[in-house]
Amino acid sequence: MGGAIAVHTGAQNILPTLIGIVVIDVVEGTALDSLRSMQSFLSSRPAQFKSLENAIEWSVKTGQIRNIESAKVSMSGQLRRVKEKEQDSVDAVTEGTSRVTGTITEEEEEDGENATKSSQCTTVKKGNKDHYTWRIDLSRTEKHWQGWFKGLSCLFLSCDVPKILVLAGVNRLDRELTIGQMQGKFQMQVLPQCGHSVHEDAPEKVAEVLASFMVRHKFAEPTADFKRPMPAC
């Protein structure tokens, strides 16, 4: 989403001081395709976590973020702490995981990978139930999703500043960007073995790529110990 904002800003010449655009793993074609399953993905996430540590563990185990050190930083910004008063014990019959309470329980942590789709019974014990929940309800923004990404590739190519597209895989390119890349309209760097959050999974490599990009376009001067990363694709 941040990449979409950057591209729309650059295409509309809103910032007179803009000198370059960096987009990380956002491509119109794949983004629009993924929107079809977005609601299903959002509903599959736990609605609550009993602790911040529990949320960090979930993000790494499910592959949302592959770098635990990065997850410790980024997950805290996505969640907010909720304090609840004492409540009566609640028995919830769920399918798969505890989707009624939305909380990852200790039982699920122990049996997580071996959990089956059979019905389970979970008990929420009486007491103070401070927990963490998502700061933003992304499902409520669905009406805006198409507008964020539709036409993004053409807008990216139209930005009249140096551009770099950092991808987790070359197969993410759509037709417009494939043609634009062959015509040399932007620099592309592929960092394999990363998930969608490329900058979180491989922060050092992304930093090297951006430093090389800035030096190449004379946004910054190289230092004596600066090492250029792998050649751009």
Side-chain angles (χ1 to χ4, degrees):
M1 296 178 190
I5 293 172
V7 170
H8 280 277
T9 301
Q12 296 176 43
N13 295 316
I14 295 176
L15 297 177
T17 56
L18 183 67
I19 58 175
I21 293 178
V22 177
V23 174
I24 299 179
D25 211 46
V26 177
V27 174
E28 177 185 350
T30 53
L32 291 176
D33 288 342
S34 67
L35 293 182
R36 300 170 186 172
S37 58
M38 185 58 66
Q39 284 290 5
S40 176
F41 164 74
L42 294 176
S43 64
S44 70
R45 302 189 307 178
Q48 300 177 6
F49 299 96
K50 65 181 182 180
S51 67
L52 186 56
E53 291 75 15
N54 189 222
I56 294 169
E57 182 180 7
W58 169 84
S59 70
V60 175
K61 282 186 174 180
T62 58
Q64 303 299 312
I65 302 173
R66 302 182 184 182
N67 183 338
I68 190 170
E69 295 303 319
S70 177
K72 291 178 181 179
V73 176
S74 61
M75 283 302 293
S76 61
Q78 298 180 54
L79 304 172
R80 62 184 179 88
R81 187 176 182 181
V82 178
K83 293 186 177 181
E84 293 185 357
K85 298 179 180 179
E86 288 192 359
Q87 57 183 342
D88 295 331
S89 296
V90 178
D91 290 331
V93 177
T94 66
E95 183 175 338
T97 57
S98 301
R99 293 304 305 148
V100 173
T101 61
T103 305
I104 293 181
T105 62
E106 293 181 0
E107 291 81 1
E108 290 173 347
E109 288 181 345
E110 295 174 358
D111 304 325
E113 295 183 356
N114 299 320
T116 65
K117 293 184 178 180
S118 59
S119 296
Q120 301 178 8
C121 185
T122 304
T123 300
V124 178
K125 297 181 179 180
K126 185 176 181 179
N128 289 325
K129 290 294 176 182
D130 290 4
H131 62 269
Y132 288 81
T133 187
W134 299 101
R135 187 178 298 275
I136 297 175
D137 183 359
L138 289 177
S139 63
R140 297 178 62 184
T141 66
E142 183 175 9
K143 63 181 181 181
H144 303 292
W145 293 351
Q146 290 283 335
W148 289 341
F149 302 113
K150 192 171 183 178
L152 188 64
S153 293
C154 290
L155 287 175
F156 176 71
L157 295 173
S158 71
C159 294
D160 192 24
V161 291
K163 301 175 287 292
I164 182 170
L165 177 63
V166 183
L167 297 174
V170 69
N171 60 331
R172 284 165 159 78
L173 280 182
D174 56 22
R175 181 176 180 273
E176 288 77 9
L177 290 182
T178 299
I179 295 174
Q181 198 274 331
M182 294 175 64
Q183 294 175 340
K185 292 185 177 181
F186 64 93
Q187 179 182 340
M188 184 177 74
Q189 182 72 61
V190 179
L191 297 179
Q193 299 180 339
C194 292
H196 172 60
S197 301
V198 183
H199 55 299
E200 297 202 47
D201 294 344
E204 294 86 0
K205 291 183 179 179
V206 171
E208 290 178 353
V209 168
L210 298 187
S212 179
F213 174 70
M214 290 188 291
V215 169
R216 176 183 180 184
H217 294 284
K218 300 181 180 180
F219 301 153
E221 294 296 328
T223 59
D225 59 347
F226 174 70
K227 297 180 180 180
R228 292 186 178 276
M230 61 194 78
C233 296

